[in-house]
Amino acid sequence: MSVPELTHVPLGPFDHWVPRGYFHVAHYLPLKTGVTVAQAFDLLHEGLHRVFVEQPWLDGQVGAQAPSTPGWRPGQLEIRHRPTITADGPRPRQLRLKELATDLDYETLRELGFPLDAFSDAELAPYGPDSFATDPATAPCDVFAAQANFLPGGCLLVAAIHHVVCDEGSFFRILNLWGGHCASLQTGAPPPEPLPAGSLDRRILREIWEKEKPAKTDPEGWRLIGLDPRGFQADAQLHAEQPPLPPPPAKPAHVTNTGGERKMKSGVFYVSPERFAALGKDVAGEVGAESRVTVNDAIAALLWRCLMRARAAAMRAQGVSIADARGVLLQINDGRGNYSPAMPQTYIGNLAYHAISTLPLEKLVDPKTPLGTVAALLRRNWEAVSSADLLNMFSLVDALSSYDELGRAHPAMGAADGTLLQFISSLIGVSMDSMCFGDGPVFANRGFVEALRPLLDAYIPAARLCNILPRHMTGGVEIVTNLYQDEYELLLLDDEFSRYVLCLCWPED
């Protein structure tokens, strides 16, 4: 029997600028009394198999495209996969089973707030410590991987997808398919609706760009993907030799060596439904009824301001002046609604950009500066990114003679003196009630995921990350962010922060 020829799917320009590694998320699922590990794993395994039958590209690998391929350029990546997967074929090797060696049970984890430090990320991730920084240009990587981690009373289901394949929004659509198939297997309900037509067409970005592209490119567009325009030629249409990059910025005095005693940690914070509503009402009262400021703007503004205030107070305590410092916020936004009216909103791939906001640090953290003013700034900068801007960004990346140039580029804003950078990624538009693995005999809580936790340990030393997680069915919101211990203690002393947010769990020393 002949082996079917692999399907080769080239990745597009927007897929090449993202970090080279997996995006991991842990789903906390309680088990019903008496359910065995084997029963739960069997259900998850068959559910994932049905997703792979429907979406065979998830069973593939991502790697470097062969130079002989028409249209190849250095650094070009592609997905390679079997064209079909049969329903009666073997189940996915990409799902692993692990029984955690721990004295903890699921109920105790729930009481502790599902803390991030109960297990290391390497324990939970499907490929252990090798799960994080993986460059498919060096060696092929699985598109998708998962590990079902069991402890008494529950399952910590960690799923991972390589970031060059798709962004967070796409990933959650895939995860919902998995949950839907598990639900169908238990209840006999129809399987979940497949992804809408056009969702998997990776040519769509280029087809739209060819019809709507700008007449000329603006190199300032590099900032939308966090890169310094000075590292690229001004005319991106020419494939001339690149000018030398400027030297890396000097490390500022207020950045502490993470190898010393002062180590950054990640904690989980919570905004209750009542306080979430109060925050939205308070900000709306400051900006006026005609404003387009959203609750997402309000919570992002609160987090940015309060995290910067804690960092500023820590800097002052170290004898560092903030007089000339600036706070810079990079919000990671979904560009599907901005790219073009012809863009499918369910597109599976990467289509994200950075909305950049900046304020003098002293003004940002000053209690006299209304929070509504900060939220309105975020809204303006969010709305300022147009279809023309994203099409220009496509032009800039596509004009590169080699995608390897992206790896050599300098960040638009790094650890320069006086710049305090914060990333905020929000999934507030995703609802936890869409994450269900079936109200059947296996999972308690009617099959709904009780909590989500991103695995971020590998990235903490390199970046200030703040993740606003999907809203609970009750309307509350959890937040994961990383801080130094002294900053955490200062954050808890912030009256504005504590008015709306409480700490759910913080790692013990």
Side-chain angles (χ1 to χ4, degrees), residues 215-495:
K216 59 184 296 186
T217 57
D218 179 2
E220 284 298 303
W222 286 113
R223 298 188 186 278
L224 287 179
I225 56 175
L227 298 179
D228 191 334
R230 294 173 298 175
F232 299 92
Q233 60 203 59
D235 183 358
Q237 303 294 339
L238 301 177
H239 294 317
E241 183 179 353
Q242 297 289 326
L245 292 171
K251 186 176 181 181
H254 60 270
V255 174
T256 304
N257 187 342
T258 57
E261 294 181 3
R262 194 165 177 259
K263 183 179 179 181
M264 206 177 293
K265 306 175 184 179
S266 289
V268 183
F269 299 83
Y270 179 66
V271 182
S272 69
E274 297 76 19
R275 294 188 182 190
F276 188 76
L279 172 62
K281 182 178 179 180
D282 292 346
V283 168
E286 292 177 347
V287 297
E290 72 284 355
S291 170
R292 292 186 298 274
V293 169
T294 67
V295 289
N296 189 61
D297 300 325
I299 195 167
L302 175 73
L303 293 168
W304 181 35
R305 196 234 284 273
C306 293
L307 291 171
M308 290 297 103
R309 189 178 283 149
R311 290 173 67 182
M315 289 168 61
R316 291 192 191 100
Q318 296 174 32
V320 179
S321 171
I322 68 166
D324 298 321
R326 295 189 70 81
V328 178
L329 174 64
L330 297 184
Q331 287 180 281
I332 304 168
N333 293 342
D334 185 342
R336 287 164 180 76
N338 305 59
Y339 192 73
S340 167
M343 187 70 209
Q345 296 306 292
T346 55
Y347 170 72
I348 301 296
N350 285 291
L351 186 45
Y353 66 93
H354 294 156
I356 306 168
S357 300
T358 180
L359 279 173
L361 188 58
E362 288 188 330
K363 180 177 181 179
L364 174 61
V365 304
D366 189 344
K368 295 179 182 178
T369 301
L371 184 60
T373 299
V374 182
L377 172 68
L378 271 53
R379 172 50 36 190
R380 288 196 300 273
N381 290 332
W382 185 302
E383 294 181 344
V385 178
S386 66
S387 173
D389 293 319
L390 294 183
L391 292 166
N392 174 68
M393 188 170 84
F394 188 101
S395 297
L396 291 170
V397 181
D398 189 54
L400 296 174
S401 59
S402 168
Y403 284 133
D404 292 335
E405 294 175 33
L406 293 168
R408 295 191 291 267
H410 277 205
M413 297 175 188
D417 282 314
T419 298
L420 275 74
L421 188 62
Q422 178 70 54
F423 288 88
I424 292 182
S425 175
S426 178
L427 291 168
I428 206 167
V430 178
S431 176
M432 292 287 284
D433 62 7
S434 67
M435 301 175 197
C436 183
F437 284 75
D439 187 6
V442 175
F443 297 112
N445 194 41
R446 293 182 294 138
F448 287 103
V449 174
E450 286 198 315
L452 288 179
R453 297 289 181 264
L455 305 191
L456 300 173
D457 283 355
Y459 311 108
I460 287 174
R464 298 281 190 151
L465 305 173
C466 181
N467 292 76
I468 303 172
L469 301 180
R471 291 185 72 173
H472 283 209
M473 288 184 282
T474 60
V477 176
E478 290 182 335
I479 299 138
V480 172
T481 193
N482 56 322
L483 295 158
Y484 290 109
Q485 181 67 28
D486 57 341
E487 295 169 352
Y488 163 73
E489 293 169 2
L490 290 162
L491 182 66
L492 295 189
L493 296 175
D494 187 329
D495 290 340

Side-chain angles (χ1 to χ4, degrees), residues 79-101:
I79 297 172
R80 298 186 284 269
H81 68 90
R82 293 178 290 167
T84 58
I85 295 175
T86 59
D88 58 354
R91 289 174 172 178
R93 61 172 176 77
Q94 291 89 340
L95 177 61
R96 300 185 174 193
L97 183 154
K98 184 173 185 177
E99 295 190 55
L100 296 166

Side-chain angles (χ1 to χ4, degrees), residues 163-175:
H163 204 342
V164 301
V165 172
C166 71
D167 52 27
E168 288 182 357
S170 302
F171 188 31
F172 278 99
R173 291 187 181 94
I174 294 163
L175 295 176

